[in-house]
Amino acid sequence: EVQLVESGGGLVKPGGSLRLSCAASDITFSSYSINWVRQAPGKGLEWVSSISSSGTYIYYTDSVKGRFTISRDFAKTSVYLQMNSLRADDTAVYYCARGSSGSGIVYFDYWGQGALVTVSS
Amino acid sequence: QSVLTQPPSVSGAPGQRVTISCTGSSSNIGAGYEVHWYQQLPGTAPKLLIYTNTNRPSGVPDRISGSKSGTSASLVISGLQAEDEADYYCQSYDSNLSGYVFGSGTKVTVL
């Protein structure tokens, strides 16, 4: 069974930084993209960032470009989201999710339990 | 503001059928990009319900089905059960935004 476990969430002041980790139990970790999806309190889902299986291709939603950096460590079967210059509207539960695809666009077939990030003074 | 529009809520009695629509545009669903659906029970992470328009992952009952036509997609839940009470989200890709997009979400209430 694939398991994804996020860690690193917490309370941070506006302008501060935080690094989220997503640890995967699956030995086929290197075969899949890993994605971050967030959910602000009482709101819907928002895709944040993706990193391809090889780590070569990286994508971000516009609102986090230049502030967030995604990376992956194959030896540790982990993916990280470095979040800098945090703003109040970054407050959300951040989920990491495995990306799979058949003949089309990626779908997120396994999700972690989520990590709460609160940006407040 | 989501680029994929869903009704905020739908409801039905046990055993009834409900349909959730997901309306997009020519830069996402209408461009031919596939649609996936997720179920989110209260206080839990989303769960994949339908992938690539119509396919059910292992363990998802066949009373749940998906379809896509033109710039829209639909999720149908037949034989509604209390355990179906949750939020449902569609997901696709948008070429204008160059990223994955989710629908605004629909809360299903079992009366």
Side-chain angles (χ1 to χ4, degrees), chain A:
Chain A
E1 176 74 11
V2 175
Q3 282 195 328
L4 299 171
V5 179
E6 301 96 336
S7 60
L11 174 64
V12 61
K13 289 181 168 53
S17 298
L18 213 55
R19 188 177 87 151
L20 299 181
S21 299
C22 172
S25 63
D26 186 16
I27 60 172
T28 64
F29 170 80
S30 60
S31 301
Y32 296 89
S33 71
I34 299 293
N35 308 265
W36 290 96
V37 175
R38 67 184 178 183
Q39 186 170 36
K43 303 296 184 182
L45 302 173
E46 179 187 24
W47 169 76
V48 174
S49 181
S50 298
I51 186 166
S52 64
S53 56
S54 64
T56 302
Y57 301 101
I58 287 173
Y59 308 97
Y60 301 98
T61 192
D62 283 348
S63 64
V64 308
K65 281 179 184 173
R67 301 188 300 123
F68 289 14
T69 302
I70 192 172
S71 61
R72 67 192 297 167
D73 183 329
F74 292 95
K76 295 184 178 179
T77 61
S78 293
V79 169
Y80 307 101
L81 187 67
Q82 177 66 43
M83 305 184 293
N84 298 331
S85 303
L86 282 161
R87 311 186 303 221
D89 61 358
D90 293 317
T91 294
V93 173
Y94 285 73
Y95 296 100
C96 66
R98 192 181 83 166
S100 289
S101 65
S103 56
I105 65 163
V106 164
Y107 52 89
F108 309 124
D109 57 355
Y110 289 94
W111 296 66
Q113 85 286 354
L116 176 61
V117 172
T118 303
V119 184
S120 175
S121 54

